Amino acid sequence: GRTAKVQAIGNRLLKAQMSSTYITGQKRIGKTSLAQAVLRYAITHAKAPTSYRTFYLEWGEYCAADAVGTVRALGEQLYTFLRCHLPPGIEAPAASFDGSLAPLNLIAKLLETTSPDKRFVIVLDEFDEIHPEMYRYGPLAEAFFANLRTLSARKNLAFILVGGEKMPFIIGAQGDQLNKFVREPLDYFSRSDEWTDYVALVVDPCKDSLNWEESALNELFSLTN
């Protein structure tokens, strides 16, 4: 399901200048599934010679005991991902991520020069779990979000940030830095706009075994929504 949202976010990635997105909504509403569907959409709809490389990170894969350590771990993860896509014989510059993701710009520029047809999409799931010091006002928060803003403006790099109930606090504190990110709220299925998707979600898995009456679908929608 969620065809319209998948296409909306995916088509932003297919443009000549990719646009980054942040997905927000309640827990267990399907935000991660939406992000993963968008990655599949971008990969399958890419027009040659352009191709997409995607990287999905959960909070637990880069969290540390403090904010500085978390920024460092995130930088190192992203650096390793980008470095492995450099052409053979091209060496990546050494990078240190003490309180900043700025060195990622160097490798992004290098990839843009050496591999202009490759595009990179990074999903940071559970983004609203980041340490408060990373988004409240202060030198680290200002540097971190300025880095995200600059990186997401590159032609070959885009982010999808996925967050739940605490996401509004992050946007409230750093909304100016994320003003180039497109907000994509996710809620329960809409009867007026997503009824076809909802019916397909129920009917398709068992279409060879069950026939559904319209009244039964309506009743199920009322119970599950």
Side-chain angles (χ1 to χ4, degrees):
R2 309 293 192 182
T3 304
K5 287 190 177 292
V6 171
Q7 291 178 350
I9 303 172
N11 288 337
R12 293 179 204 135
L13 300 176
L14 296 173
K15 291 180 179 178
Q17 178 63 55
M18 293 191 291
S19 295
S20 294
T21 301
Y22 67 90
I23 301 170
T24 181
Q26 296 178 5
K27 290 182 179 179
R28 319 312 309 165
I29 201 72
K31 301 184 296 297
T32 298
S33 296
L34 175 60
Q36 292 173 340
V38 168
L39 297 183
R40 292 193 295 270
Y41 180 89
I43 291 170
T44 56
H45 288 77
K47 294 182 179 179
T50 301
S51 61
Y52 285 80
R53 306 292 189 273
T54 63
F55 191 44
Y56 172 85
L57 274 178
E58 292 182 343
W59 164 241
E61 295 180 85
Y62 62 92
C63 69
D66 56 27
V68 173
T70 298
V71 172
R72 184 186 303 115
L74 177 59
E76 290 170 353
Q77 288 261 21
L78 298 183
Y79 179 80
T80 301
F81 161 67
L82 295 173
R83 183 179 59 185
C84 73
H85 293 290
L86 286 169
I90 303 295
E91 291 295 328
S96 174
F97 299 98
D98 290 327
S100 174
L101 298 178
L104 291 175
N105 273 296
L106 297 175
I107 194 168
K109 288 179 182 178
L110 191 58
L111 282 164
E112 196 169 342
T113 303
T114 59
S115 304
D117 296 325
K118 290 181 181 177
R119 290 182 162 197
F120 304 93
V121 183
I122 296 164
V123 177
L124 300 181
D125 204 350
E126 303 166 312
F127 187 75
D128 61 328
E129 297 296 330
I130 62 173
H131 293 281
E133 295 86 352
M134 292 174 67
Y135 62 85
R136 288 178 181 163
Y137 296 108
L140 180 65
E142 296 298 330
F144 178 63
F145 276 89
N147 294 155
L148 286 181
R149 177 185 174 91
T150 299
L151 287 167
S152 65
R154 302 212 63 81
K155 186 178 180 180
N156 61 340
L157 191 61
F159 288 88
I160 299 176
L161 309 179
V162 181
E165 288 91 338
K166 292 189 283 186
M167 203 67 174
F169 296 103
I170 296 176
I171 302 306
Q174 295 293 340
D176 289 345
Q177 297 287 11
L178 293 182
N179 64 358
K180 292 184 179 180
F181 283 63
V182 181
R183 178 177 180 265
E184 198 67 57
L186 195 62
D187 206 339
Y188 296 105
F189 278 94
S190 164
R191 187 186 290 269
S192 59
D193 298 328
E194 297 177 306
W195 177 250
T196 302
D197 279 352
Y198 182 83
V199 170
L201 190 70
V202 174
V203 172
D204 287 356
C206 53
K207 60 186 176 183
D208 296 327
S209 305
L210 293 173
N211 294 318
W212 287 84
E213 294 288 345
E214 185 76 14
S215 58
L217 289 168
N218 280 313
E219 182 68 13
L220 188 64
F221 182 89
S222 299
L223 290 169
T224 60
N225 206 44

